[in-house]
Amino acid sequence: MRKTSLTVPVLALGVFGIITTEMGMVGVLPRVSAELGVSPSAAGWLVGVFALVIAVSGPFTTLLVSGIDRKKVLAAAIAVFAVSNAVYALTTQYEVMLAFRVVPALFHPVFFAVALATAARAVSTEDATRATTTVFAGVTVGFAFGVPLTSYLAEHLSLASAFWFGTLVNLVAFLGILRFVPPMPVEHGRRLSHGDQLGILKRPRMWLTIVSVVLVFASMFSVYGYFAEFLGRVTHMDGSWVSAMLMAFGIVMILGNFAFGGLLRRGPVRTVVAYPVLCLLVYALLYAVGPLLAPMVPAVLVWGAVHSGGLVVSQSWLGRDAGDAPEFGNSLFISFSNLGITVGTAVGGWVMAGWGTRQLPFAGIGFAVAALIAVALRLGLDRGHGRGPVSVGGGRGRVGERAAGVEAGA
């Protein structure tokens, strides 16, 4: 494949556009509810249905586009997001908006899966982890700037302007893919069959890895999902403080994303083992200083830095066992990480309802301990089969590893 230095940044921009579309809706739900004349709970389905569709459909939609030129897949997926944002800006019908939350959600895991594998293929083997980390930076930048800017535009200009912003970002990414991502047709005889790709699910170690990914994301979002609630009720921050903390959290996530990418390159398995421990320590810190405003400010920054690592660490960990079907493996990551988000937020809400917001960090601690156990069991299978630790992000388990050989169709 012909390589260009702008391939990876363009893919990161596409991820930024997708995250802005997916999560930007969170900050504008009150305006959507008012302008479309629906209840807040009905408006909430615009967020919930998106995650649900991703979790259910991800691996299947990824398999369906096997054999199609990867550039065409990426361009078509991001075009759907651009069109969907335009529909949000123009429609006054709740049913239409809901339908166009379902449609892009079907393409969300496809774009992520193909973009991550493409990024790994676009660089040398040694730089593969750096490339996937850069793509993931689109997620953190989306949280740090895309989501707050969407909310700001809706509040100070109009709801339509917020969605036109999403349209513009995705349109620029679409044009960038057309210009800077080279054609990547799947050569005859090099594409893995659907059966071969699904075959990775027959491996017991894969399911332990998947369980650990679900638990890591449950740990992350059981607490983060109630960020504003915790800071408001426990730390007694007002709305302005909470908004500032959200922005600071997102900015630190950008830095943390690249820091964890560096840690993965130097000690991949150690980083994966250490991540649940770091989550546990952060949640213990949040519980200890939660009621105290001054200590809570730096604690939020530490929280953001650790939180950011869950994305790239989990994706690299799952890629370790899906190196022979990287794009399908990436789609599994997208689906099961969304399942983890769903489980985590549900349990976090249950903890708050039963024991109070102050106890919320214990939900994250419980999931972190469970994730650490799952990781240890997974590594135990390697030792039981006489295998040493396989590097994450490189070697046999690297995402995109077989890109130069067999094309694992997404």
Side-chain angles (χ1 to χ4, degrees):
M1 151 176 117
R2 180 177 59 84
K3 299 175 181 177
T4 168
S5 60
L6 291 179
T7 298
V8 174
V10 163
L11 295 175
L13 178 62
V15 169
F16 170 79
I18 285 177
I19 290 299
T20 299
T21 301
E22 178 185 7
M23 302 307 299
M25 186 67 74
V26 173
V28 301
L29 281 181
R31 294 293 302 273
V32 170
S33 176
E35 295 197 16
L36 271 61
V38 297
S39 68
S41 60
W45 273 104
L46 296 172
V47 176
V49 76
F50 202 103
L52 181 61
V53 171
I54 292 171
V56 172
S57 70
F60 305 106
T61 53
T62 303
L63 286 175
L64 285 174
V65 299
S66 296
I68 302 176
D69 187 308
R70 322 323 290 146
K71 177 174 181 174
K72 293 179 180 178
V73 171
L74 291 167
I78 205 69
V80 168
F81 275 82
V83 170
S84 296
N85 274 279
V87 171
Y88 305 155
L90 294 171
T91 189
T92 57
Q93 299 296 317
Y94 170 77
E95 293 78 10
V96 172
M97 187 175 286
L98 183 63
F100 277 86
R101 292 296 284 176
V102 172
V103 172
L106 292 170
F107 287 84
H108 178 289
V110 171
F111 187 91
F112 261 91
V114 177
L116 288 168
T118 300
R121 293 180 63 192
V123 297
S124 64
T125 300
E126 294 74 20
D127 291 330
T129 299
R130 190 191 310 274
T132 54
T133 300
T134 300
V135 172
F136 268 121
V139 176
T140 54
V141 174
F143 275 102
F145 298 107
V147 175
L149 183 54
T150 299
S151 179
Y152 179 87
L153 291 172
E155 186 66 29
H156 293 86
L157 292 179
S158 68
L159 182 61
S161 68
F163 294 135
W164 285 124
F165 166 67
T167 302
L168 178 62
V169 171
N170 286 289
L171 180 59
V172 172
F174 170 75
L175 296 174
I177 289 169
L178 292 183
R179 174 65 179 85
F180 297 111
V181 175
M184 291 174 284
V186 180
E187 298 180 25
H188 180 70
R190 290 194 170 191
R191 172 192 159 200
L192 287 176
S193 68
H194 291 175
D196 288 336
Q197 294 177 74
L198 289 169
I200 67 175
L201 294 175
K202 297 178 181 179
R203 307 167 185 170
R205 62 180 184 269
M206 172 59 77
W207 284 105
L208 272 176
T209 301
I210 287 172
V211 168
S212 66
V213 169
V214 171
L215 291 170
V216 163
F217 271 80
S219 178
M220 292 164 61
F221 283 87
S222 61
V223 185
Y224 175 75
Y226 303 96
F227 183 97
E229 187 82 6
F230 188 83
L231 295 185
R233 290 182 176 270
V234 178
T235 315
H236 304 295
M237 292 185 179
D238 61 21
S240 297
W241 266 100
V242 172
S243 296
M245 288 295 95
L246 274 170
M247 179 70 77
F249 189 96
I251 292 172
V252 171
M253 277 186 67
I254 299 172
L255 303 176
N257 179 76
F258 287 101
F260 274 96
L263 291 172
L264 282 167
R265 289 193 295 275
R266 288 192 291 272
V269 174
R270 288 196 303 273
T271 303
V272 171
V273 173
Y275 186 76
V277 178
L278 290 174
C279 288
L280 190 157
L281 294 175
V282 165
Y283 297 143
L285 175 64
L286 293 180
Y287 180 79
V289 305
L292 307 173
L293 177 61
M296 191 61 184
V297 173
V300 167
L301 300 181
V302 174
W303 181 12
V306 172
H307 185 86
S308 67
L311 299 170
V312 65
V313 169
S314 296
Q315 186 273 337
S316 297
W317 177 235
L318 198 150
R320 176 181 190 261
D321 286 332
D324 47 354
E327 293 175 4
F328 181 62
N330 287 335
S331 72
L332 292 174
F333 165 71
I334 299 300
S335 290
F336 283 101
S337 61
N338 273 273
L339 176 61
I341 292 171
T342 302
V343 171
T345 52
V347 172
W350 175 69
V351 169
M352 286 200 307
W355 287 277
T357 307
R358 177 81 166 88
Q359 312 304 318
L360 184 62
F362 285 107
I365 288 172
F367 281 121
V369 171
L372 184 61
I373 293 171
V375 169
L377 290 173
R378 171 64 191 87
L379 292 174
L381 287 183
D382 283 347
R383 291 190 292 271
H385 288 82
R387 295 167 53 195
V390 182
S391 65
V392 179
R396 185 172 67 183
R398 181 177 67 79
V399 173
E401 172 197 32
R402 293 187 59 178
V406 174
E407 169 69 19

